[in-house]
Amino acid sequence: MRTKIIRGLIAAVAAVAAAMATAPASQADTRAAGLLLGQHQNLGGSVWYFADNRADIGSAGDKASSAKNDDTVAWLLFDDKNFSDRRYCLAPRHYVKDLHYASWNFGDKISSVKRLTTSSCSGYPTF
Ligand SMILES: [Ca+2]
Protein backbone atom coordinates (compact mmCIF):
# COMPACT_ATOMS: atom_id res chain seq x y z
CA MET A 1 0.00 0.00 0.00
CA ARG A 2 2.65 2.45 1.08
CA THR A 3 4.89 1.44 -1.83
CA LYS A 4 1.99 1.97 -4.22
CA ILE A 5 1.42 5.51 -2.90
CA ILE A 6 5.11 6.32 -3.20
CA ARG A 7 5.20 4.95 -6.74
CA GLY A 8 2.18 7.10 -7.57
CA LEU A 9 3.86 10.18 -6.14
CA ILE A 10 7.06 9.49 -8.05
CA ALA A 11 5.08 9.14 -11.30
CA ALA A 12 3.23 12.41 -10.61
CA VAL A 13 6.44 14.29 -9.84
CA ALA A 14 8.09 12.86 -12.95
CA ALA A 15 5.12 13.94 -15.09
CA VAL A 16 5.27 17.50 -13.73
CA ALA A 17 9.04 17.64 -14.21
CA ALA A 18 8.69 16.42 -17.80
CA ALA A 19 6.01 19.03 -18.50
CA MET A 20 8.14 21.80 -17.03
CA ALA A 21 11.18 20.70 -18.99
CA THR A 22 9.45 20.46 -22.35
CA ALA A 23 7.00 23.38 -22.33
CA PRO A 24 9.38 26.28 -23.04
CA ALA A 25 11.59 24.18 -25.30
CA SER A 26 8.73 23.01 -27.51
CA GLN A 27 7.59 26.60 -27.97
CA ALA A 28 11.10 27.59 -28.97
CA ASP A 29 11.64 24.63 -31.29
CA THR A 30 8.91 25.74 -33.70
CA ARG A 31 10.58 29.13 -34.18
CA ALA A 32 13.73 30.45 -35.75
CA ALA A 33 16.63 31.37 -33.51
CA GLY A 34 16.01 34.34 -31.27
CA LEU A 35 15.54 35.74 -27.80
CA LEU A 36 12.85 34.49 -25.43
CA LEU A 37 11.50 36.57 -22.54
CA GLY A 38 9.26 34.91 -19.97
CA GLN A 39 6.56 36.74 -18.05
CA HIS A 40 7.43 34.74 -14.95
CA GLN A 41 10.51 32.95 -13.67
CA ASN A 42 11.68 29.85 -15.62
CA LEU A 43 9.94 31.06 -18.81
CA GLY A 44 6.56 30.69 -17.11
CA GLY A 45 3.41 32.55 -18.13
CA SER A 46 3.52 34.33 -21.48
CA VAL A 47 6.71 33.87 -23.52
CA TRP A 48 7.67 36.69 -25.87
CA TYR A 49 9.90 35.94 -28.83
CA PHE A 50 12.24 38.37 -30.59
CA ALA A 51 14.13 37.72 -33.83
CA ASP A 52 15.66 41.17 -34.26
CA ASN A 53 16.27 44.52 -32.56
CA ARG A 54 13.28 46.06 -30.83
CA ALA A 55 13.57 49.64 -29.57
CA ASP A 56 10.38 49.28 -27.52
CA ILE A 57 9.15 45.84 -26.58
CA GLY A 58 5.72 47.31 -25.90
CA SER A 59 3.23 45.18 -24.01
CA ALA A 60 5.98 42.77 -22.99
CA GLY A 61 7.93 45.74 -21.61
CA ASP A 62 8.75 45.83 -17.93
CA LYS A 63 7.07 42.46 -17.40
CA ALA A 64 9.78 39.92 -18.13
CA SER A 65 11.08 37.83 -15.23
CA SER A 66 13.21 35.34 -17.19
CA ALA A 67 15.25 35.39 -20.40
CA LYS A 68 16.75 32.76 -22.66
CA ASN A 69 19.01 33.22 -25.66
CA ASP A 70 18.08 30.58 -28.25
CA ASP A 71 20.10 32.38 -30.89
CA THR A 72 23.58 31.89 -32.36
CA VAL A 73 24.59 35.46 -31.46
CA ALA A 74 24.53 37.44 -28.20
CA TRP A 75 21.68 39.77 -27.22
CA LEU A 76 21.67 42.96 -25.15
CA LEU A 77 18.78 43.60 -22.77
CA PHE A 78 18.14 47.23 -21.82
CA ASP A 79 16.28 48.75 -18.90
CA ASP A 80 14.93 51.60 -21.01
CA LYS A 81 13.47 52.04 -24.50
CA ASN A 82 15.72 52.89 -27.47
CA PHE A 83 18.61 50.78 -26.15
CA SER A 84 19.39 53.01 -23.18
CA ASP A 85 19.98 52.92 -19.40
CA ARG A 86 21.30 49.77 -17.71
CA ARG A 87 22.07 46.79 -19.94
CA TYR A 88 23.11 43.16 -19.71
CA CYS A 89 24.43 40.84 -22.36
CA LEU A 90 23.08 37.31 -22.79
CA ALA A 91 25.37 34.94 -24.70
CA PRO A 92 24.01 32.19 -26.99
CA ARG A 93 22.26 29.35 -25.09
CA HIS A 94 22.44 31.29 -21.81
CA TYR A 95 19.32 31.23 -19.71
CA VAL A 96 18.50 33.54 -16.78
CA LYS A 97 15.76 31.78 -14.86
CA ASP A 98 15.12 34.72 -12.54
CA LEU A 99 15.78 38.31 -13.62
CA HIS A 100 14.68 39.49 -10.16
CA TYR A 101 17.76 37.95 -8.54
CA ALA A 102 19.34 40.65 -6.34
CA SER A 103 22.77 40.53 -8.03
CA TRP A 104 21.33 42.08 -11.22
CA ASN A 105 17.84 43.24 -10.18
CA PHE A 106 16.54 43.20 -13.75
CA GLY A 107 13.09 41.68 -13.27
CA ASP A 108 10.14 43.60 -14.75
CA LYS A 109 12.56 46.12 -16.25
CA ILE A 110 13.52 45.18 -19.82
CA SER A 111 12.21 47.77 -22.29
CA SER A 112 14.32 47.20 -25.40
CA VAL A 113 16.44 44.38 -26.84
CA LYS A 114 19.28 44.38 -29.36
CA ARG A 115 20.66 41.48 -31.38
CA LEU A 116 24.44 41.59 -31.68
CA THR A 117 26.38 40.38 -34.71
CA THR A 118 28.74 38.09 -32.76
CA SER A 119 28.35 35.38 -30.14
CA SER A 120 30.61 37.25 -27.71
CA CYS A 121 29.48 39.43 -24.81
CA SER A 122 32.94 40.97 -24.62
CA GLY A 123 32.76 44.60 -23.49
CA TYR A 124 29.29 44.25 -21.97
CA PRO A 125 28.14 43.34 -18.46
CA THR A 126 26.77 39.80 -18.15
CA PHE A 127 24.41 38.18 -15.67
CA1 LIG B 1 12.30 49.38 -18.11
Side-chain angles (χ1 to χ4, degrees), residues 62 79 109 111:
D62 305 330
D79 192 337
K109 290 186 185 296
S111 294

Side-chain angles (χ1 to χ4, degrees), residues 61-63 78-81 85 106 108-112:
D62 305 330
K63 286 183 184 171
F78 293 86
D79 192 337
D80 214 345
K81 295 173 186 173
D85 202 5
F106 222 50
D108 299 335
K109 290 186 185 296
I110 298 168
S111 294
S112 57

Side-chain angles (χ1 to χ4, degrees), residues 3-103:
T3 305
K4 198 170 182 180
I5 290 170
I6 291 169
R7 278 192 188 137
L9 281 172
I10 290 169
V13 168
V16 169
M20 289 172 73
T22 56
S26 62
Q27 287 174 356
D29 288 348
T30 59
R31 297 160 164 156
L35 175 73
L36 302 174
L37 297 182
Q39 181 184 7
H40 305 309
Q41 283 85 351
N42 305 307
L43 290 184
S46 295
V47 176
W48 299 288
Y49 168 74
F50 301 91
D52 210 341
N53 297 350
R54 191 78 64 88
D56 179 359
I57 66 173
S59 60
D62 305 330
K63 286 183 184 171
S65 295
S66 53
K68 185 179 183 185
N69 184 345
D70 262 345
D71 208 338
T72 54
V73 296
W75 281 76
L76 289 177
L77 315 176
F78 293 86
D79 192 337
D80 214 345
K81 295 173 186 173
N82 302 314
F83 319 115
S84 59
D85 202 5
R86 286 206 302 148
R87 68 202 193 286
Y88 278 105
C89 184
L90 197 61
R93 303 296 151 193
H94 282 226
Y95 177 22
V96 180
K97 294 181 178 180
D98 187 1
L99 291 167
H100 294 271
Y101 189 65
S103 293

